Amino acid sequence: QVRLVESGGGLVQAGGSLRLSCTTSERTVSTWYMGWFRQAPGKEREFVSGINWGGTFTDYRDSVKGRFTISRDDTENTVYLQMYGLKPEDTAVYYCAANSIGGASQHARDYDYWGHGTQVTVSS
């Protein structure tokens, strides 16, 4: 069973930054498409960003473009989400997810492994 573990969440003021990490002990993850999703209270889980094997393709939801950067270090089996210029509307639980079968996707149903999430709270 593939296990994804997120870290790096916390409480930050608007305009601040955080870096989320997602690590796994499963080396085959290095060949999978990885994504970050988030879910705010009372809302559906939504796609935030994704990255392919090798990091040559990245994808972002419009509201985070220019503020968030996704990257991966496959030697460390880790995916990062660097977040700058955080806004109160970024407040959510952030989840790391792995798509072991397909390629790039913004749909949660296409991801078959999920972490337990890390809370990001942005105060105004």
Side-chain angles (χ1 to χ4, degrees):
Q1 181 71 17
V2 174
R3 185 163 173 256
L4 304 177
V5 180
E6 303 96 336
S7 62
L11 172 63
V12 64
Q13 289 187 332
S17 62
L18 286 172
R19 188 176 80 158
L20 305 184
S21 300
C22 171
T23 61
T24 176
S25 60
E26 178 60 54
R27 293 201 62 83
T28 56
V29 170
S30 66
T31 63
W32 298 350
Y33 190 85
M34 301 295 293
W36 285 97
F37 288 76
R38 67 187 181 187
Q39 188 166 18
K43 295 187 177 181
E44 293 188 353
R45 191 169 298 191
E46 63 182 20
F47 173 80
V48 177
S49 183
I51 187 168
N52 71 337
W53 171 48
T56 57
F57 173 82
T58 57
D59 190 20
Y60 300 91
R61 70 180 297 105
D62 287 345
S63 63
V64 307
K65 286 180 180 177
R67 299 189 298 121
F68 291 10
T69 301
I70 191 171
S71 61
R72 64 191 298 166
D73 182 346
D74 290 324
T75 64
E76 297 292 333
N77 297 333
T78 301
V79 178
Y80 302 99
L81 184 67
Q82 179 67 57
M83 306 184 293
Y84 294 105
L86 283 161
K87 304 175 180 180
E89 52 263 44
D90 295 317
T91 295
V93 177
Y94 282 69
Y95 297 91
C96 175
N99 180 354
S100 68
I101 301 174
S105 174
Q106 297 188 355
H107 302 290
R109 64 177 180 266
D110 293 329
Y111 292 77
D112 42 352
Y113 297 103
W114 291 83
H116 288 110
T118 184
Q119 175 71 46
V120 172
T121 303
V122 184
S123 63
S124 58

